[in-house]
Amino acid sequence: MPTFIRIVFRIIIGLLWIRFVLKLFHVMGTGIITTLYHWTNALSNPFGGVFPNIDFTVLSHSFTVESTVLFAIVIYALVEFILIRIFHASRDNDA
């Protein structure tokens, strides 16, 4: 069971990291990128509005740091950690 939990949360976190990098460099597109944005919207929307996005420019290139996505990554990693700890604790108590 912990392996399943790790796989699911690593996929979620990996998709959120990909979204973060694509949005950082303002990658827009159709097909797979639009689908990725749609899926990750569902994952990051519960944390929307907690922190504002940070826009900045370096050498005439504009970048956007999606703070909501970074916060979502941290929360999902903490939930993964807690679930695995609970699973191990319950398994140790059964022994």
Side-chain angles (χ1 to χ4, degrees), residues 44-55 64-75:
S44 64
N45 277 347
F47 310 104
V50 175
F51 299 105
N53 289 343
I54 301 167
D55 296 315
T64 300
V65 174
E66 280 193 310
S67 303
T68 300
V69 173
L70 290 176
F71 184 66
I73 290 169
V74 169
I75 296 300

Side-chain angles (χ1 to χ4, degrees), residues 75-92:
I75 296 300
Y76 284 118
L78 286 171
V79 169
E80 174 191 3
F81 175 77
I82 290 167
L83 287 175
I84 289 173
R85 296 289 289 184
I86 289 170
F87 180 80
H88 284 303
S90 68
R91 190 181 63 184
D92 291 343

Side-chain angles (χ1 to χ4, degrees), residues 10-45 66 69 73 76:
R10 303 261 166 97
I11 289 170
I12 290 170
I13 291 169
L15 289 173
L16 288 170
W17 273 117
I18 292 169
R19 175 197 173 96
F20 176 78
V21 170
L22 291 175
K23 288 282 190 167
L24 179 68
F25 295 108
H26 292 280
V27 176
M28 298 297 165
T30 58
I32 190 76
I33 294 174
T34 304
T35 303
L36 176 76
Y37 288 158
H38 178 72
W39 288 348
T40 54
N41 272 340
L43 297 170
S44 64
N45 277 347
E66 280 193 310
V69 173
I73 290 169
Y76 284 118

